[in-house]
Amino acid sequence: MESAVKDWIKADETAKEMLTRLFTERPFLPLPPPLHKLPLRPGNVVEVAGPPSSGKTHILMQAAISCILPKQWKGVQFGGMERLAVFVDLDCRFDVLRFSRLLKHKLIQANSNDMKSQTQYDKELFAECMRRFLYIRCYNSLEFLATLKTMNKQLQKQKDIQGVGVHLLVLDSIGAFYWMDRALPSLLVGGSNRKSLSLQIVMENVVQDLQKLLLVHPLLVLATKNSISGDKSTADELMRNTSSGPRPKHREYMPSVWQSFVTHRIHVAASEHNGNHQRQHTYLTEWILPSVNFSDRFVINEDGVFLIS
């Protein structure tokens, strides 16, 4: 009896082995600015909130490019994750030509030491990266739910084909169907015995399906959301208020089930003062969840996202 109890409580692995396994399966992801300040890993759900034209989609594109780029290729270091990235386009504004242009620019930039490669890129590598980029477009909440219901099989199929798993799931933008779902009356799906299709039910199912995906696939969820300010302050005023004490007043409109699902939240906004970067728009970031006492200022161009002082 005593030996049976000892066998039952005997550890399967040491603490060192457990940490090694966890950091191998769910490592910290090398994300580009401004997502690099906090250690993010698969299993986290990051919400990038901000008003329209604040660089949210560009940040997601750069994160997806970092995911699909290889660690190295033919002796050239790219520093990518070499994993699959899934981009779910919910507002139907994704520009694939812009994405491919950004990817080509990254490939050219990595070979910048070679004079012949300053305007050329490896087409084989470009095709390899694009195969790891999975794009899905949804026009309403029903299509979004259907996509999530079938995503597990699709990801497993792609993993078997390409030999690598997914590390990044992008949702752009999570609140795209909010106003449509809120305006429509509750619909009974499948007869009177089924639940009515309402905004709350839709978001509950979205969160449940995402939770199931996170259990099976070690991926990071990045979701954009258009924010609504609680007052008429400018972005610079909001950031000044943040540094001096009070947090920006954002009017939260997503259901509470989504709010509790998010583990990290960052707010981005365009700045009215470009400083020495007159030809480029300057943007401000502030981590809301977790609450940290620093903010970043950055610019966006073809080379990526760059922090400025």
Side-chain angles (χ1 to χ4, degrees):
M1 182 66 180
E2 183 179 353
S3 61
V5 173
K6 289 182 178 180
D7 291 339
W8 183 77
I9 64 175
K10 184 179 180 180
D12 295 329
E13 57 185 352
T14 64
K16 181 179 180 180
E17 292 172 342
M18 182 195 70
L19 291 175
T20 302
R21 175 175 56 81
L22 289 177
F23 282 114
T24 301
E25 295 176 353
R26 298 178 180 270
F28 293 117
L29 303 181
L31 295 172
L35 302 174
H36 69 300
K37 280 295 182 72
L38 296 183
L40 300 175
R41 66 194 321 167
N44 293 145
V45 180
V46 183
E47 181 185 273
V48 183
S53 301
S54 57
K56 300 187 299 296
T57 300
H58 190 98
I59 292 173
L60 298 190
M61 285 184 177
Q62 293 291 347
I65 289 174
S66 296
C67 185
I68 63 178
L69 279 174
K71 297 178 181 178
Q72 66 173 10
W73 177 270
K74 296 181 180 179
V76 179
Q77 296 292 331
F78 289 91
M81 307 178 204
E82 205 167 341
R83 291 293 187 271
L84 301 177
V86 182
F87 196 107
V88 182
D89 184 13
L90 300 179
D91 61 4
C92 303
R93 294 181 180 180
F94 180 78
D95 188 347
V96 66
L97 295 179
R98 180 186 175 195
F99 180 81
S100 63
R101 186 171 64 250
L102 292 173
L103 176 58
K104 291 175 184 177
H105 201 81
K106 281 288 185 182
L107 301 182
I108 295 173
Q109 190 179 26
N111 290 298
S112 58
N113 294 331
D114 186 357
M115 295 298 295
K116 295 181 179 179
S117 301
Q118 290 185 358
T119 58
Q120 298 179 357
Y121 62 94
D122 192 320
K123 295 183 179 180
E124 180 184 356
L125 176 57
F126 176 79
E128 185 78 15
C129 292
M130 290 300 291
R131 278 193 290 269
R132 289 194 285 265
F133 181 73
L134 310 178
Y135 174 76
I136 303 171
R137 174 174 288 186
C138 301
Y139 292 94
N140 52 55
S141 293
L142 290 178
E143 291 187 4
F144 183 34
L145 288 173
T147 297
L148 294 178
K149 296 290 184 185
T150 59
M151 186 170 291
N152 181 33
K153 291 185 177 180
Q154 293 295 328
L155 294 181
Q156 189 60 49
K157 180 181 178 181
Q158 290 296 326
K159 182 178 181 180
D160 295 338
I161 294 174
Q162 304 199 37
V164 293
V166 61
H167 260 12
L168 184 64
L169 172 61
V170 173
L171 307 176
D172 188 27
S173 77
I174 190 61
F177 309 129
Y178 172 84
W179 300 109
M180 290 189 295
D181 293 341
R182 183 177 177 180
L184 290 175
S186 297
L187 301 177
L188 293 178
V189 181
S192 58
N193 294 329
R194 298 292 186 90
K195 292 182 178 180
S196 60
L197 186 63
S198 62
L199 172 64
Q200 182 68 24
I201 297 298
V202 168
M203 194 51 59
E204 287 178 358
N205 280 272
V206 167
V207 171
Q208 289 175 6
D209 291 337
L210 288 174
Q211 288 174 335
K212 293 177 182 178
L213 275 177
L214 292 176
L215 290 175
V216 180
H217 301 279
L219 54 85
L220 171 72
V221 179
L222 282 180
T224 61
K225 184 189 72 176
N226 285 332
S227 64
I228 301 177
S229 179
D231 54 24
K232 297 182 179 180
S233 301
T234 64
D236 294 276
E237 290 172 344
L238 289 174
M239 290 304 172
R240 283 196 296 270
N241 292 337
T242 300
S243 60
S244 61
R247 290 283 166 183
K249 299 178 180 179
H250 302 302
R251 187 184 304 166
E252 183 58 67
Y253 58 90
M254 294 296 290
S256 58
V257 64
W258 170 259
Q259 297 179 43
S260 59
F261 180 56
V262 172
T263 62
H264 298 73
R265 180 177 291 110
I266 183 174
H267 183 266
V268 297
S271 173
E272 294 182 349
H273 305 288
N274 295 331
N276 297 327
H277 301 267
Q278 298 296 332
R279 296 183 179 181
Q280 296 175 311
H281 291 293
T282 305
Y283 302 89
L284 302 171
T285 65
E286 178 70 21
W287 283 97
I288 307 300
L289 181 68
S291 178
V292 293
N293 294 323
F294 60 80
S295 60
D296 289 322
R297 190 183 296 267
F298 65 93
V299 295
I300 293 176
N301 56 35
E302 294 293 327
D303 294 329
V305 179
F306 296 94
L307 299 178
I308 59 177
S309 57

